[in-house]
Amino acid sequence: MHSRNSSHSRNGHIDTLDFDSHRKAPSANGGSRSPSPHGLLRDDDSLLSDVVDGIIERDRRKMQRLVTKYLSFASAILSCLCAGSITAFSVYGHLFLSRLMYTQFQVNAVSIAAELAMYLPVPIFGYLCDRYSPRPLSLLAAFFFGPGYLLAAFTYHSGAPTRGGWPFGVMVLAFVGIGMGTSCMYLSAVTTCAKNFGRGKHKGLALAIPIAAFGLSGMWQSQIGSRVLYEETANGGQGDVDVFKFFLFLSGTLFGVGLIGAVVLKVVDEEELIEEGVEELESSGLLEESAFFHRSHPYEASGYGTIDPSHEERFHSQRADDAAQKAYDEEEEERKKTWLLNAETRRFLGDHTMWFLAAGFFLVTGPGEAFINNLGTIITTLYPPPATAPPSNSATTHVSIIALTSTLARLVTGTLSDLLAPSTSGPTSPPKRFATSRLTFLLASTLLLTLAFLLLASPLLAACPSLLPLVSALAGTGYGAVFSLTPIIISVVWGVQNFGTNWGVVAMVPAAGATVWSAVYSLVYQAGVRDGEALCWGRACFASTFWAMGASGALAMGLWAWAWRGTGGWVARGIAV
């Protein structure tokens, strides 16, 4: 203080204080010179420029995140628009009977192999998607789809195995690849949308759009097959789909779409999702039991009691500390993510309502899958020779009806579930004047699907086959809505942090359902085949199967109602589902 006062008395002003180690040293001839007004203006301009640069950089990053999010959304829709090629199976399934001389059991074995490959690995694919991002999964889809359809094309082109064609097992192998490709492409797209938009107001719509696109894929692909890639009849007319060309088309298209998703799909701000998940578990008291969040930081309390180093040493030391800190933070973020996802998986599997939800999904989707896969043979049974099905009852028409009604149902239920679903009461979210639970939509959709099965089983359809489009419309509406609402309910009840794994566990059950009900359908069909004939004709081919499917749908409705309003259900927990 004495030296500063003496300096002030001698020079008439206060010397510059060296409180900033980065400030330039004063010049030799004017070390005590006071700053000029121009220097102050330059400092102000520099400060203003830094502020403006910071705002521009912040806005640039925000815009980059938005562009990435919506590009990923567009890529997810494209993936789903192509991924559901297996739903066009009815367009060519009957040709496996007539051209390749497969039995009904063998045709169903091909579809079952695809179903099992599509659903059974879903938990594994979901696990990979949650931990390593959706991009690798989309790349896997490209290499499952491309070679899968290519192998199926040349197997079909080789002809019937009894006439020197490739063995039946090769076709099964091809459809295993197709099924796994379907699972990878669909899951990578839906998980991207769930994580990017799952925290917003329109999570239902954000999930419903790609799921609806998945339902549309079978429609447009079947139309390409029947209207563009068709065989010509003897008189030059339009015949059945050219299966060889159709499979080649699907091989190239799906391979390209998978590669696009491998580049474009990305989860934005995943770190924030993990932090929110940790906060939720912290509020529930689960973090107190974990030793992970009680570890000491290796860089805490460092630097105390040391001799002040030189400026250069301090600079290099700071750089080394920053690099070590960055590496530590990245490691901790990865550990935190792994811990959180494992905790969320345990919480999901330990919830009894999840098992009710999965059991109902098994009881509904299995019959739905079996109906769609065997639609071609159902139509054939209604028109014994010499009658033939009119264009309004062709397999292509019904695939299109199911795809359109399924798509509309997914979009409508996804949108209405956002607008009408109850919200948690709070100071910033007043209760809605009119609210309807997503479970109400789910139960109503299941009722429509059950009515379709009962109508198929009744004598009315055999007497009036023209009612079959109504059956397909009811089935498509119910099936599509169930597939749209179930993942939305999972994201609402258990969050989106572990969505890929959670939805993968539940999405696995249709494989078992499709296997069981396709086997039941085949047994009933084969039992109705008369001696000396290869095909079955009439209502006896499927009536008892669809009576049982109707009972299965009714049981599913009971299980879902219990998960919703039963003891320890979602209403009892205060979950606004």
Side-chain angles (χ1 to χ4, degrees), residues 85-107:
S85 60
I86 192 66
T87 59
F89 187 86
S90 297
V91 174
Y92 52 81
H94 63 286
L95 297 176
F96 286 0
L97 285 169
S98 57
R99 305 286 178 82
L100 300 183
M101 309 303 292
Y102 291 170
T103 65
Q104 183 62 49
F105 276 113
Q106 288 178 313
V107 173

Side-chain angles (χ1 to χ4, degrees), residues 13 20 25 39 103 114 155 157 174 198 205 265 272-273 310 337 344 377 402 413 418 452 475 494:
H13 66 274
D20 187 350
T103 65
T155 303
H157 190 64
L205 183 61
L265 291 177
E272 294 182 10
L273 280 177
S310 66
K337 176 181 177 180
E344 291 285 359
T377 56
I402 291 173
T413 53
D418 284 336
W494 292 283

Side-chain angles (χ1 to χ4, degrees), residues 403-426:
L404 283 174
T405 54
S406 174
T407 299
L408 289 175
R410 295 174 200 220
L411 290 174
V412 170
T413 53
T415 303
L416 291 180
S417 69
D418 284 336
L419 296 175
L420 302 179
S423 57
T424 305
S425 299

Side-chain angles (χ1 to χ4, degrees), residues 364 371 443-458 460-461 467-468 470-479 546-547 549-554 557:
V364 170
F371 167 72
L443 295 175
S445 303
T446 307
L447 180 61
L448 291 179
L449 186 60
T450 303
L451 287 176
F453 294 150
L454 296 179
L455 188 58
L456 269 169
S458 71
L460 185 61
L461 187 69
L467 289 176
L468 191 57
L470 174 61
V471 172
S472 294
L474 289 173
T477 301
Y479 182 81
F546 287 104
W547 282 123
M549 288 182 178
S552 179
M557 291 165 59

Side-chain angles (χ1 to χ4, degrees), residues 69-79:
K69 178 185 288 189
Y70 285 100
L71 275 178
S72 296
F73 187 62
S75 178
I77 293 174
L78 177 63
S79 293

Side-chain angles (χ1 to χ4, degrees), residues 66 223 295 428 493:
L66 283 175
Q223 292 296 326
R295 300 169 63 216
T428 59
V493 177

